[in-house]
Amino acid sequence: SESIHAFNRNAPISATITLGIASEQIMLLLIEAYTVALKNDKEKDNLLKKIKGRFIETQYLEFRKSFASHRYVVPQEIIRDIDTAIDSTFRFIKMLRNEQGHPTIIDADKDTVFADLQHFPHYARRMFALICWLKKNKI
């Protein structure tokens, strides 16, 4: 909602940054739910060692590696095209947020921010469907 509010006030940089923060928060929630859902304590401890105190990019990459071996137990209606949802959307929003959150000569394109805002609810629903499934199931 902050991102939409910023966008409506003609503040595309703020909209991009707040959307990026929301996207990263969802990713952290997904990684946490996944870690808790792991039945194998050795695998869980190994993953936690690799992600503890690390940047979101490292946590994300370690999650993706670990999740690859468990994805087939997740129901198809939840996992369908999840790679696209996770990789494309998460990375794209992160890239735009990084461009705006660090001193660059790249200005936030209002059309791109608008498109991200339009797509974000779908992305969030997909991510939370997986998070909810992981909270109810061990893998």
Side-chain angles (χ1 to χ4, degrees):
S1 66
E2 267 185 61
S3 189
I4 293 168
H5 184 73
F7 182 83
N8 289 337
R9 295 235 186 279
N10 200 27
I13 293 172
S14 296
T16 300
I17 291 170
T18 52
L19 192 64
I21 292 167
S23 178
E24 286 189 15
Q25 181 62 31
I26 292 172
M27 183 56 66
L28 292 172
L29 292 171
L30 175 60
I31 293 168
E32 178 184 13
Y34 172 74
T35 304
V36 170
L38 287 172
K39 285 191 277 190
N40 183 318
D41 288 335
K42 186 176 179 182
E43 184 179 9
K44 183 186 298 192
D45 291 343
N46 188 36
L47 179 60
L48 287 170
K49 285 178 190 170
K50 290 178 181 179
I51 66 173
K52 185 177 182 184
R54 304 289 182 171
F55 289 116
I56 185 71
E57 181 70 13
T58 301
Q59 291 185 48
Y60 167 74
L61 292 173
E62 292 299 333
F63 158 75
R64 295 288 287 136
K65 280 192 258 182
S66 179
F67 183 67
S69 62
H70 296 287
R71 62 180 291 121
Y72 301 103
V73 300
V74 180
Q76 185 60 35
E77 66 270 10
I78 294 172
I79 204 71
R80 180 186 48 79
D81 298 327
I82 199 72
D83 292 329
T84 303
I86 292 175
D87 287 335
S88 299
T89 306
F90 173 71
R91 286 185 172 282
F92 188 69
I93 290 172
K94 184 176 177 296
M95 177 193 72
L96 294 176
R97 193 275 334 260
N98 285 345
E99 287 176 354
Q100 299 310 307
H102 302 289
T104 66
I105 57 169
I106 302 169
D107 287 331
D109 174 55
K110 233 180 146 177
D111 292 336
T112 303
V113 177
F114 182 71
D116 279 350
L117 287 169
Q118 295 294 309
H119 181 69
F120 189 78
H122 172 73
Y123 164 72
R125 279 191 299 275
R126 295 292 309 278
M127 297 293 278
F128 278 110
L130 180 54
I131 290 167
C132 290
W133 188 88
L134 288 167
K135 286 185 173 188
K136 293 177 185 174
N137 298 277
K138 291 287 186 185
I139 55 173

